[in-house]
Amino acid sequence: MAEIRNFTLNFGPQHPAAHGVLRLVLEMDGETIQKADPHIGLLQLAESKPFNQSIGYMDRLDYVSMMCNEHAYVMAIEKLLGIKVPPRAQHIRVMFDEITRVLNHLMWLGAHGLDIGAMTVFLFCFREREDLMDCYEAVSGTRMHATYYRPGGVFRDLPDFMPRYEASRWRSQKDADRRNEARSGSLLDFIDDFTRRFPACIDEYETLLTDNRIWKQPTVHIGVVSPARALQLGFTGPMLRGSGIVWDLRKQQPYEVYADMDFDIPVGKGNSPVQPYHSAVRGLAACQPRSGDGRRAQSASAKPRRDEGRHGVPHPSFQAVH
């Protein structure tokens, strides 16, 4: 009888599901993974650089949650060095965490719709993503890998103006003026305009998908996961809340100024693919935190105190981490 032996297989870094962010050396018994040895080149890169030069690598760990990854990294440095972040910088970070969360949900929703044959919802989601990418570009100069957060605060304060469209051979002056209507003020004015428009956009997504039989047939009552099973499998985010478990780190383990925010946690019942969808769509609306009295937080637009430095970063701590 022929001897049956395990074989070794590389998963990533060129695999379509792990393009550049992860390499796994898998020991396979047929189609069963017996052992997985992860190789993450980021660790070696970070070991050879000052910690401020590694912030940009955090964006690339999950390139649909860029600033959230930066946030975890700089918070770890601040905890190690005992740096206290001023309130203005905390509010700016939380605001961009939520912008990033909306970007993430829109990427998932659009790609999910595309995977099941709903082309239009993909285009609609990316329409809103463009506006939020413009917010990234306004503060950091780049639309994706921002490298905006810093130990002790952020790279710079919020801009007083937004980049504006210009007429060209592809865009008339009338079209440019229409696109610039929401860009006549500051970044905060632009974000405020977006939050006013966005609920109607969510209604469009639901019109296209929620009662669409083409979408419901492969999702409703398919792959239902009980709350106990979700915990055993280590589900997080909308997947965990879709199974009916009320868990959100912003509520259970609040950081920065989340303890002062008032927002809802959408929860589903019995996690089939439709439940994370409902959880995520309702979560899009919850990505606009309100202050304790029910109003949407406006603290980020307040002027920094003199002792906070120009960009909301305390001078002594900022010098200490350089």
Side-chain angles (χ1 to χ4, degrees):
M1 179 181 289
E3 181 183 359
I4 298 176
R5 295 183 301 173
N6 292 348
F7 63 95
T8 302
L9 178 70
N10 271 303
F11 177 92
Q14 286 81 35
H15 190 282
H19 31 170
V21 296
L22 176 66
R23 176 191 173 208
L24 296 175
V25 179
L26 305 177
E27 184 179 318
M28 306 290 295
D29 179 9
E31 294 185 353
T32 303
I33 300 172
Q34 298 291 345
K35 181 181 177 182
D37 184 14
H39 292 256
I40 303 176
L42 171 75
L43 300 178
Q44 284 69 40
L45 289 169
E47 287 173 357
S48 62
K49 292 178 173 58
F51 50 76
N52 256 5
Q53 292 183 12
S54 295
I55 297 172
Y57 292 129
M58 303 304 134
D59 293 302
R60 292 156 175 83
L61 285 174
D62 176 5
Y63 41 81
V64 289
S65 292
M66 296 76 72
M67 287 198 194
C68 291
N69 292 331
E70 293 180 24
H71 202 170
Y73 178 69
V74 298
M75 283 179 64
I77 295 172
E78 290 159 0
K79 186 174 181 180
L80 287 170
L81 298 180
I83 299 172
K84 186 177 180 180
V85 181
R88 178 175 175 80
Q90 291 186 43
H91 279 86
I92 291 174
R93 286 178 176 183
V94 166
M95 182 174 70
F96 271 95
D97 280 1
E98 295 307 308
I99 287 174
T100 304
R101 202 179 308 275
V102 176
L103 281 168
N104 193 315
H105 283 357
L106 289 175
M107 168 64 83
W108 169 80
L109 181 59
H112 165 66
L114 195 62
D115 287 341
I116 62 169
M119 181 74 178
T120 307
V121 71
F122 173 80
L123 299 175
F124 279 23
C125 287
F126 270 66
R127 175 190 62 190
E128 275 67 68
R129 274 177 61 88
E130 285 300 304
D131 282 343
L132 298 178
M133 286 293 187
D134 286 347
C135 297
Y136 261 53
E137 187 176 8
V139 296
S140 71
T142 181
R143 294 169 61 79
M144 201 165 189
H145 302 311
T147 319
Y148 179 56
Y149 292 7
R150 293 290 189 276
V154 294
F155 167 57
R156 62 180 180 184
D157 207 348
L158 302 177
D160 294 328
F161 61 90
M162 284 292 292
R164 307 190 70 181
Y165 289 99
E166 295 181 356
S168 67
R169 56 188 295 188
W170 299 281
R171 183 181 298 113
S172 67
Q173 185 63 55
K174 182 178 179 181
D175 186 38
D177 292 341
R178 178 182 61 81
R179 291 169 177 262
N180 288 331
E181 287 178 359
R183 298 168 182 268
S184 58
S186 66
L187 170 64
L188 287 173
D189 294 327
F190 182 77
I191 294 173
D192 184 64
D193 177 77
F194 179 86
T195 59
R196 296 174 190 276
R197 292 185 282 112
F198 193 50
C201 298
I202 297 175
D203 291 341
E204 290 179 339
Y205 310 151
E206 293 219 71
T207 299
L208 289 169
L209 283 184
T210 302
D211 293 321
N212 189 327
R213 63 182 177 84
I214 297 174
W215 177 76
K216 292 176 71 173
Q217 285 172 354
T219 57
V220 177
H221 303 311
I222 304 295
V224 177
V225 181
S226 67
R229 184 60 175 158
L231 290 174
Q232 292 171 351
L233 294 173
F235 281 9
T236 61
M239 292 292 290
L240 184 62
R241 293 188 286 274
S243 288
I245 296 177
V246 182
W247 179 264
D248 190 316
L249 284 179
R250 298 171 297 172
K251 288 279 192 181
Q252 271 70 28
Q253 300 174 15
Y255 51 94
E256 300 288 21
V257 292
Y258 276 118
D260 301 326
M261 299 292 177
D262 175 29
F263 57 96
D264 303 320
I265 303 177
V267 179
K269 300 177 182 178
N271 196 352
S272 65
V274 71
Q275 292 300 333
Y277 161 77
H278 288 303
S279 178
V281 169
R282 291 197 298 271
L284 285 170
C287 284
Q288 303 174 36
R290 301 178 295 274
S291 58
D293 60 0
R295 295 175 300 172
R296 196 160 47 80
Q298 297 289 339
S299 301
S301 62
K303 293 291 185 182
R305 300 193 311 271
R306 289 182 178 272
D307 59 349
E308 289 181 356
R310 172 164 170 71
H311 300 313
V313 181
H315 292 302
S317 300
F318 190 71
Q319 295 298 327
V321 298
H322 277 66

